[in-house]
């Protein structure tokens, strides 16, 4: 039978949606210490309430979670540009105050191995990591979207991008990698639902004379363009992120990986549906941005 454009053959994995969110260690502390109703934090957590409800209706089988490690599992001894977590389990890392009291992250070794095979054969050199502890870059987005469950409700494949130690990958490369990841996931032989998340950002700078920098206008334009013209946004050079969004604003290139995996990018699917958009400043030193895009 002929396959309709933009749909998957039966029995194959589908990417149902992409989720984008900032991470901030202090958000994890607020959740873990029961401070989410305090005046400083309430507006932020209120902005994620619709997302938690959306998540209950749209829980996937697996989240492919693009994030950055912060010199926790990868220090200056080894700096992989792109690394995929292929283990069955990933423990929350001790970042200096003990590990966060959150559930262990359960992986999907079979799907991760399939993605590694496919993406490496599409000429992206991934580092394969069988032993990985996950820091706030991965656990804070999970807390924002799921709250405090006893176990995370689905499997998670951690995908680390180096945005900490220069040289960092370009927006173009991240966007192209997202397209390769989509091909990989959609060629997987099981009828599972997969979400792809892009995390980190938005504008923030944690050190130097510009510490505390936040650029609301640039951030909101980034959100507009990520939805409407991602291929153009991918051309923005890394120096613009640093100049406009601060040294840690470069974390935003990771959002282009998730956006590159949406079905409209290759021209075969409709534009995604915007299910939720939220922006809030500040949380600790960071502007917080959030989007949910559904494939249709
Ligand atoms: C903060 C933000 C980050 O992205 C991070 O990795 C560490 C700290 C902050 O705003 O405090
Ligand atoms: Fe960070």
């Amino acid at each position: 039978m002929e396959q309709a454009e933009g749909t998957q053959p039966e029995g194959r994995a589908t990417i149902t949606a992409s989720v984008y969110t900032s991470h901030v260690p202090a958000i994890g502390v607020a959740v873990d210490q029961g401070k989410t109703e305090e005046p400083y934090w309430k507006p932020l957590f209120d902005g994620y309430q619709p997302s938690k409800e959306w998540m209950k209706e749209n829980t996937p089988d697996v989240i492919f979670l693009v994030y950055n490690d912060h010199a926790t599992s990868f220090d200056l001894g080894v700096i992989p540009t792109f690394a995929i977590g292929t283990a069955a389990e990933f423990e929350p890392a001790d970042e200096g105050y003990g590990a966060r009291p959150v559930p262990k992250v359960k992986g999907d070794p079979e799907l991760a191995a399939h993605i590694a095979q496919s993406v490496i054969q599409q000429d992206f050199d991934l580092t394969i990591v069988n032993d990985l502890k996950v820091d706030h870059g991965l656990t804070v987005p999970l807390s924002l979207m799921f709250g405090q469950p006893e176990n995370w409700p689905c499997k998670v494949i951690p995908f680390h991008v180096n945005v900490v130690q220069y040289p960092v990958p370009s927006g173009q490369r991240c966007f192209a990698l997202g397209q390769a990841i989509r091909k990989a996931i959609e060629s997987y032989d099981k009828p599972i639902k997969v979400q792809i998340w892009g995390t980190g950002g938005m504008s923030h700078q944690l050190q130097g004379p510009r510490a505390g920098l936040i650029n609301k206008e640039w951030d909101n334009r980034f959100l507009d363009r990520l939805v409407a013209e991602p291929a153009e946004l991918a051309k923005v050079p890394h120096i613009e992120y640093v100049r406009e969004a601060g040294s840690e604003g470069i974390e935003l290139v990771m959002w282009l990986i998730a956006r590159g995996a949406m079905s409209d990018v290759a021209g075969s699917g409709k534009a995604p549906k915007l299910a939720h958009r939220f922006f809030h400043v500040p949380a600790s030193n960071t502007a917080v941005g959030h989007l949910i895009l559904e494939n249709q």
Side-chain angles (χ1 to χ4, degrees), residues 29-105:
V29 175
V31 172
D32 301 342
Q33 297 186 358
K35 295 181 174 166
T36 59
E37 291 295 313
E38 290 187 359
Y40 180 84
W41 288 112
K42 189 171 170 13
L44 173 97
F45 289 100
D46 282 353
Y48 282 82
Q49 200 48 45
S51 317
K52 288 193 192 129
E53 275 145 37
W54 178 88
M55 254 313 198
K56 280 188 199 135
E57 302 293 311
N58 294 280
T59 311
D61 298 295
V62 183
I63 297 166
F64 188 89
L65 205 159
V66 181
Y67 80 108
N68 70 292
D69 179 84
H70 298 75
T72 304
S73 274
F74 306 117
D75 61 16
L76 291 183
V78 181
I79 306 165
T81 303
F82 300 118
I84 184 164
T86 41
E89 221 170 65
F90 307 94
E91 275 184 39
D94 180 350
E95 298 181 58
Y97 295 94
R100 287 192 62 206
V102 291
K104 278 185 191 167
V105 173

Side-chain angles (χ1 to χ4, degrees), residues 11-199:
R12 295 275 172 86
T14 38
I15 298 179
T16 51
S18 53
V19 173
Y20 308 81
T21 179
S22 308
H23 66 233
V24 182
I27 293 176
V29 175
V31 172
D32 301 342
Q33 297 186 358
K35 295 181 174 166
T36 59
E37 291 295 313
E38 290 187 359
Y40 180 84
W41 288 112
K42 189 171 170 13
L44 173 97
F45 289 100
D46 282 353
Y48 282 82
Q49 200 48 45
S51 317
K52 288 193 192 129
E53 275 145 37
W54 178 88
M55 254 313 198
K56 280 188 199 135
E57 302 293 311
N58 294 280
T59 311
D61 298 295
V62 183
I63 297 166
F64 188 89
L65 205 159
V66 181
Y67 80 108
N68 70 292
D69 179 84
H70 298 75
T72 304
S73 274
F74 306 117
D75 61 16
L76 291 183
V78 181
I79 306 165
T81 303
F82 300 118
I84 184 164
T86 41
E89 221 170 65
F90 307 94
E91 275 184 39
D94 180 350
E95 298 181 58
Y97 295 94
R100 287 192 62 206
V102 291
K104 278 185 191 167
V105 173
K106 304 279 186 200
D108 188 334
E110 199 186 313
L111 176 58
H114 169 83
I115 294 171
Q117 161 76 21
S118 168
V119 169
I120 290 170
Q121 288 300 318
Q122 293 177 71
D123 301 333
F124 288 89
D125 308 314
L126 307 184
T127 301
I128 291 163
V129 192
N130 289 311
D131 182 6
L132 178 69
K133 290 202 167 51
V134 287
D135 72 9
H136 70 272
L138 186 131
T139 61
V140 164
L142 289 175
S143 297
L144 282 168
M145 295 300 292
F146 293 117
Q148 293 178 287
E150 204 166 307
N151 291 298
W152 301 121
C154 58
K155 295 175 178 174
V156 177
I157 297 177
F159 189 88
H160 157 81
V161 180
N162 169 42
V163 284
V164 167
Q165 178 62 41
Y166 277 79
V168 298
S170 69
Q172 289 272 44
R173 183 137 179 89
C174 289
F175 193 57
L177 172 59
Q179 295 170 56
I181 291 167
R182 180 169 128 256
K183 274 195 194 152
I185 291 172
E186 291 195 335
S187 64
Y188 188 56
D189 239 353
K190 280 192 182 164
I192 57 167
K193 291 183 180 151
V194 181
Q195 285 178 7
I196 179 160
W197 292 15
T199 66

